[in-house]
Amino acid sequence: DVAEDYFYSGLQHRKILNGIKYDYVNRNNKRRKDLEWDILLENGNSVAVLEVKHKLHPEDVEEFATKKLPLFRQALPEFAKYHVYGGVAGMSVPEDSRKIAEHYGLTVLTQDGKNLKVLNSQNFTPKLY
């Protein structure tokens, strides 16, 4: 909960991710017992779906990118025509987790003491899902 609180609060104030401005930030969106999206940012035509962990393990990234994120449009059909971007966030993000996330085109967020910090490489382009 601490990590989710941190990233939710930071995104509430920022509402910009990868140069895209969002109007709303929602938390703990759950439509099925087995599926929950920690944070959603939306603006009417784009939605960013974020998985948040205190320490982001490579397995967390793999599961989100290959199992959870692909079910997003099916579980939340109101976003069927939106551009969907994925992201992961962690208070601690090991280098192997960051690399796997970038491989899947996921934005990577962490903390830097005061603000959110995007960890992706300079030439990173987010994948459109």
Side-chain angles (χ1 to χ4, degrees):
D1 289 343
V2 171
E4 282 186 29
D5 286 345
Y6 177 83
F7 290 104
Y8 176 74
S9 177
L11 290 165
Q12 278 282 67
H13 295 290
R14 181 180 178 163
K15 292 186 182 152
I16 296 175
L17 195 58
N18 293 318
I20 300 171
K21 293 181 183 181
Y22 293 94
D23 301 318
Y24 306 102
V25 180
N26 298 305
R27 186 171 174 192
N28 296 327
N29 197 310
K30 190 173 190 175
R31 293 292 167 96
R32 295 177 12 190
K33 287 182 183 180
D34 59 335
L35 282 177
E36 176 183 22
W37 290 274
D38 296 330
I39 297 176
L40 300 180
L41 293 95
E42 57 180 289
N43 67 9
N45 65 4
S46 294
V47 60
V49 183
L50 302 179
E51 178 77 3
V52 179
K53 299 291 183 189
H54 193 272
K55 181 175 183 180
L56 186 65
H57 295 279
E59 300 82 28
D60 299 325
V61 178
E62 283 280 342
E63 182 176 339
F64 179 68
T66 64
K67 296 180 181 162
K68 200 170 177 182
L69 189 56
L71 296 174
F72 179 76
R73 288 181 201 268
Q74 175 188 348
L76 297 169
E78 62 268 35
F79 295 109
K81 295 184 179 183
Y82 280 55
H83 296 286
V84 177
Y85 298 96
V88 290
M91 301 299 280
S92 172
V93 180
E95 183 65 13
D96 53 348
S97 297
R98 183 194 63 79
K99 287 179 180 179
I100 291 168
E102 280 197 9
H103 167 77
Y104 285 111
L106 301 173
T107 299
V108 183
L109 301 175
T110 193
Q111 51 83 29
D112 71 356
K114 289 194 253 180
N115 299 308
L116 297 177
K117 180 180 177 182
V118 178
L119 290 181
N120 297 90
S121 303
Q122 195 78 2
N123 59 351
F124 170 76
T125 302
K127 179 179 177 182
L128 181 60
Y129 284 85

